[in-house]
Amino acid sequence: GLGFNIVGGTDQQYISNDSSIYVSRIKKDGAAYLDGRLQEGDKILSINGRDLKDLRHKDAVELFRNAGYDVSLKIQRRLQPQNGPVGHQDDGESGGLPLAAFLVPGLVLAAAAVWILLRYRQRI
C-alpha cells in the first residue's frame, strides 16, 4: 500500500459539513513515512489527477488501492498540528507526491529478501 490511512467522504465526514478526504495516519516505515512529505491531517484533493470531491469513503479507498505504481497526490497542507479536526490553509497551495521514488527501492528489497529465502531453503 501507500503507507497511510484516510478518513472522510460524503458518507463519513471527518469534519462537520466537509466531505473531503484527509490523511488520518501515516504508517511507520511505510511508503509515505519514508518519503516524509505527507503529514497526518493533510487534505487530499486528488490522486493521479482524479478529483476526490464528493466521493463516498469506500470509493476514495478504492481509488487509492487501484492507484498503480506511479502515484501523484495533490494535497492541501494543514495549518498546524492539533488533535481532532484540522485547520487548513486557504491559499490553495498543494504539492505532488510521486511515490515511485521510494516504492522502487522497497520492491527491490522485497525481491532480494524472497530470493535469499528461496536460496536458503534450497540448501536445507
Side-chain angles (χ1 to χ4, degrees):
L2 301 175
F4 62 91
N5 295 352
I6 59 171
V7 292
T10 57
D11 57 336
Q12 296 182 19
Q13 293 181 351
Y14 177 62
I15 297 176
S16 185
N17 298 318
D18 182 357
S19 60
S20 300
I21 304 297
Y22 293 89
V23 176
S24 62
R25 179 173 163 251
I26 300 202
K27 298 174 183 176
K28 186 171 174 135
D29 297 327
Y33 176 86
L34 295 172
D35 178 75
R37 290 182 278 179
L38 195 63
Q39 298 176 10
E40 291 178 0
D42 285 349
K43 180 193 280 190
I44 304 177
L45 304 174
S46 68
I47 179 167
N48 293 339
R50 171 78 196 273
D51 190 5
L52 297 182
K53 191 172 186 173
D54 298 326
L55 286 179
R56 291 180 301 170
H57 180 78
K58 73 176 191 170
D59 295 330
V61 168
E62 206 53 37
L63 283 176
F64 283 94
R65 285 190 178 144
N66 296 318
Y69 184 73
D70 292 321
V71 178
S72 177
L73 300 178
K74 185 175 182 182
I75 63 158
Q76 185 174 11
R77 182 73 64 210
R78 64 183 173 191
L79 188 56
Q80 62 185 4
Q82 60 188 39
N83 293 329
V86 294
H88 298 279
Q89 298 173 348
D90 289 331
D91 60 8
E93 285 188 31
S94 62
L97 181 62
L99 298 176
F102 51 90
L103 287 178
V104 171
L107 291 173
V108 169
L109 288 174
V114 169
W115 182 80
I116 290 169
L117 178 64
L118 291 174
R119 298 268 302 172
Y120 176 76
R121 293 185 86 190
Q122 286 178 347
R123 292 184 186 165
I124 297 178

